[in-house]
Amino acid sequence: MVSIDRLLAFAAMSLLLIVIPGPSVLFVIGRALSQGWRAALTTVAGNTLGAYVLVVAVAFGVGSLVERSVIVFTALKLAGAAYLVYLGVKAFRQRRTLQAEFGAGGAEYGTWRSLWEGFAVGVANPKTIVFFAAVLPQFVDRDQGHVTAQMLLLGLVFNLIAVVCDSAWGMVAATARSWFSRSPQRLSAIGGAGGLAMIGLGVTVAATGRKD
């Protein structure tokens, strides 16, 4: 199975990706700001389910193809890195949009609606798709066999970290609604810092080699 060193390295890279306010985190924050902590946590649960669907898809299909082909791996890695940089630039340029989320308000969402919308965001999150398809296979020890099981385990580690971090983002946003409302610049800073961090992650992915 996966060695402790690989598991810790993957957990560290996963944490770096997860704490960056990408599409899923921004969605959770927006839901917390407009609906409160219950809707935020339900959204996190749905988001996690959606992300693990991607893990399963990679483990039983895309991941095996990437694992066998250096050409496919390199092409996907570079495309993924470029897209992460693009998302980072976009997040930085649109860093003031969280203020609109705060003002969204409206009627409270039901549990199933929050769960479903969180799932939809999680399963369609391009940042997560890129990470699972281009980065996760790098941490599989092919010499140990059980490639699919290793991917499922690594994906579970990712999602456990995501639940903790995304829930923290949601709770902080929900409990700091009034503090955020007094300064739009604080909302802008979240998106700006996240965009720069995402650009850095994209560069890191592009520079990461494959150990064959």
Side-chain angles (χ1 to χ4, degrees), residues 46-186:
N47 197 305
T48 303
L49 290 174
Y52 202 72
V53 167
L54 294 178
V55 173
V56 173
V58 169
F60 285 96
V62 178
S64 297
L65 175 62
V66 172
E67 187 270 333
R68 290 193 302 265
S69 174
V70 175
I71 294 176
V72 172
F73 169 81
T74 302
L76 187 57
K77 181 185 74 169
L78 293 178
Y83 196 72
L84 285 172
V85 171
Y86 164 76
L87 288 176
V89 172
K90 184 178 180 180
F92 184 81
R93 295 181 64 180
Q94 298 180 350
R95 59 192 180 277
R96 293 179 176 83
T97 58
L98 278 177
Q99 181 64 20
E101 291 287 350
F102 182 84
E108 291 188 4
Y109 292 174
T111 299
W112 288 110
R113 179 178 176 180
S114 295
L115 188 69
W116 167 251
E117 291 187 355
F119 176 87
V121 171
V123 80
N125 185 348
K127 188 176 73 168
T128 308
I129 293 172
V130 167
F131 183 79
F132 287 153
V135 178
L136 188 151
Q138 299 183 54
F139 292 89
V140 172
D141 189 346
R142 293 182 291 278
D143 294 334
Q144 296 295 324
H146 306 289
V147 171
T148 298
Q150 289 187 57
M151 288 187 178
L152 292 174
L153 175 60
L154 291 171
L156 181 61
V157 170
F158 178 96
N159 278 278
L160 289 175
I161 296 172
V163 167
V164 174
C165 292
D166 290 358
S167 296
W169 274 111
M171 292 301 292
V172 168
T175 55
R177 296 172 78 188
S178 60
W179 184 79
F180 275 120
S181 68
R182 293 195 298 270
S183 176
Q185 289 76 18
R186 293 166 183 163

Side-chain angles (χ1 to χ4, degrees), residues 20 43 46 173 176:
I20 296 172
T43 300

